[in-house]
Amino acid sequence: MGDKLILDGKKVSNDVREALKPRIAALKEKGIQPCLATILVGDDPSSATYVRMKGNACERLGIESKRIHLPAETTTEELVQVIQDLNNDEKVHGILLQHPVPGHIDERKAFETISIEKDVDGVTSWGYGQTALGFGLYPSCTPAAIMKIMEYYGISAEGKHAVVIGRSPILGKPVSALLLNANATVTTCHSYTKNLPEIVAQGDIVVAAVGKPEFIKGEWLKEGAVVLDAGYNPGNIGDVEYESCLEKASAITPVPGGVGPVTISMLLKHTVDAAERKLAEME
Ligand code: NAP
């Protein structure tokens, strides 16, 4: 097992954050304070934790974090108004609406309200479309993190068969698009997929984005597969069965310490990118 590569998300994350420091300093010298607005609706404890982690990560790096917490009974119209106000706020460069919002809210309508310039998590259909066509400014942060980890470790997707398990708008679909754009042959699996283990067995690259703890088994994998586990289930458990997958994989992300920290770093990077674009417009 000595030649196994553990894809260390903290290392990648540190690398991304270090590279942002001089860029943030340069923005501040020109009077621009990069700012990410986060919106949390309701009191779901996991969502509250994710939003807090994102806000704290901003502040540690010198990015302003504007934290908006709305009550669970907020209506779609009220949420849309809050987002429109943030769109119009010159000081805000990125907007993150934490998913999921309470069930009575039209989440898609709320996402679509975010202006494309501030859609730093790639949640609008416009942002997703740009990502799929290969010129997206801000792909969703978890898919962007997966590609960043591969880049950092010199793992090329070109000509490889990538099997993605999951097709959600923020994860499975955009990561499939990014892998396709990186010249992989991509199979996207979902809950209607038949013979999942046989399809996973074809994957040179396997991305787990299914939301079920330890769902992907090592015995399904091709020997030497690269495994990227986006899953984050209660108790810090990923979507792959780590020990058995480690046996078969040539490289694997752990949970925690894999995709998660890099996801937050990509959010910080996209916010800084957005602030730089705003400055360029002003100059
Ligand atoms: P989601 O919206 O629930 O989507 C899950 C996907 O898995 C769906 O496309 C679903 O198929 C598919 N699926 C469910 N059961 C399946 C089965 N038996 N066989 C094959 N496919 C199946 O979840 P998500 O938001 O994409 O999140 C996925 C995981 O990533 C979760 O563990 C989540 O916590 C984690 N996550 C992590 C980060 C991070 O920063 N690390 C960020 C976001 C999400 P259908 O489309 O047919 O229903």
Side-chain angles (χ1 to χ4, degrees), residues 56 58 104 112 119 174 181 192 200 203 211 214 228 253 262 274:
N56 291 347
C58 279
H104 66 276
E112 296 300 342
D119 180 17
N181 293 339
Y192 292 82
V200 172
E214 301 187 332
L228 296 135
T253 54
V262 189

Side-chain angles (χ1 to χ4, degrees), residues 117-159:
E117 296 81 16
K118 301 189 182 187
D119 180 17
V120 287
D121 199 17
V123 295
T124 61
S125 51
W126 194 356
Y128 171 75
Q130 290 183 340
T131 294
L133 290 174
F135 58 87
L137 293 180
Y138 313 118
S140 295
C141 293
T142 305
I146 288 168
M147 301 309 288
K148 177 54 79 177
I149 291 169
M150 289 176 53
E151 181 196 305
Y152 181 92
Y153 283 101
I155 298 167
S156 168
E158 196 173 297

Side-chain angles (χ1 to χ4, degrees), residues 3-16 144-157 160 205 226-228 242 250-254 256-259 261-262:
D3 56 348
K4 303 279 175 188
L5 183 56
I6 308 297
L7 304 170
D8 184 344
K10 286 191 200 135
K11 240 182 181 172
V12 182
S13 173
N14 285 341
D15 198 61
V16 173
I146 288 168
M147 301 309 288
K148 177 54 79 177
I149 291 169
M150 289 176 53
E151 181 196 305
Y152 181 92
Y153 283 101
I155 298 167
S156 168
K160 307 271 175 62
I205 296 167
V226 172
V227 178
L228 296 135
Y242 186 76
S250 58
I252 186 167
T253 54
V259 174
V262 189

Side-chain angles (χ1 to χ4, degrees), residues 92-210:
V92 171
H93 302 104
I95 301 172
L96 180 122
L97 170 61
Q98 184 63 42
H99 161 85
V101 294
H104 66 276
I105 293 177
D106 182 346
E107 185 178 77
R108 184 46 37 203
K109 186 171 179 187
F111 278 152
E112 296 300 342
T113 305
I114 299 173
S115 75
I116 185 73
E117 296 81 16
K118 301 189 182 187
D119 180 17
V120 287
D121 199 17
V123 295
T124 61
S125 51
W126 194 356
Y128 171 75
Q130 290 183 340
T131 294
L133 290 174
F135 58 87
L137 293 180
Y138 313 118
S140 295
C141 293
T142 305
I146 288 168
M147 301 309 288
K148 177 54 79 177
I149 291 169
M150 289 176 53
E151 181 196 305
Y152 181 92
Y153 283 101
I155 298 167
S156 168
E158 196 173 297
K160 307 271 175 62
H161 188 170
V163 175
V164 178
I165 307 107
R167 58 170 170 180
S168 70
I170 54 146
L171 221 175
K173 276 186 184 142
V175 80
S176 295
L178 291 174
L179 286 161
L180 181 62
N181 293 339
N183 298 325
T185 301
V186 182
T187 303
T188 308
C189 304
H190 45 78
S191 65
Y192 292 82
T193 298
K194 295 200 169 76
N195 306 326
L196 184 65
E198 285 161 40
I199 296 172
V200 172
Q202 295 169 28
D204 303 303
I205 296 167
V206 174
V207 178
V210 67

